[in-house]
Amino acid sequence: MVATQPSNPLQVCTVSGGAGTVAATNGTNIAVNCTTPAPGPSGSLDPAFGDQGRVFADLPGGATAMALQPDGKIVVAGGSKVLRFNADGDVDQGFGSGGVASLTFPDVPAAISNLPQGIVVQSDGAIVVAGFAQSGS
């Protein structure tokens, strides 16, 4: 019997011997093991992510919107681009063209600026970007 659930959301738990059927019998070979990863210095970057905790991308005007997918991939938008990174900070080469998808607005002639304001990853995996494009006045 598991008496309590882990109280620390950072804990990583595994169950061993938890498969099978027990009928009117006390199970004695089920083990739940939880560990709490050692905390890093407060506010420190994860050195395993990107280049010592940092990722650099060519986004005109910088990143203006970001979303985390359920699989840990990170979607970032800025200017007229949407990029996707793997959970470790590497560019997801399977997204768009080499990890980059272009934002185009066919009804806005000669757009001088595109500004994504938000990103949502839908339950079906579709990525929705909302924002505006400016053309002249």
Side-chain angles (χ1 to χ4, degrees), residues 39-137:
S42 179
S44 65
L45 300 175
D46 177 358
F49 180 81
D51 180 15
Q52 297 300 307
R54 298 172 294 191
V55 172
F56 299 94
D58 180 23
L59 290 171
T64 55
M66 182 172 32
L68 180 63
Q69 294 185 179
D71 61 0
K73 292 184 179 184
I74 303 164
V75 184
V76 179
S80 59
K81 298 178 183 179
V82 177
L83 290 81
R84 186 164 70 186
F85 298 93
N86 295 316
D88 64 0
D90 290 338
V91 173
D92 179 1
Q93 296 295 325
F95 178 77
S97 176
V100 180
S102 295
L103 292 173
T104 58
F105 297 93
D107 296 333
V108 180
I112 58 172
S113 68
N114 298 318
L115 190 58
Q117 296 289 300
I119 299 177
V120 173
V121 180
Q122 298 181 148
S123 60
D124 65 357
I127 298 168
V128 179
V129 179
F132 66 88
Q134 182 180 1
S135 176
S137 59

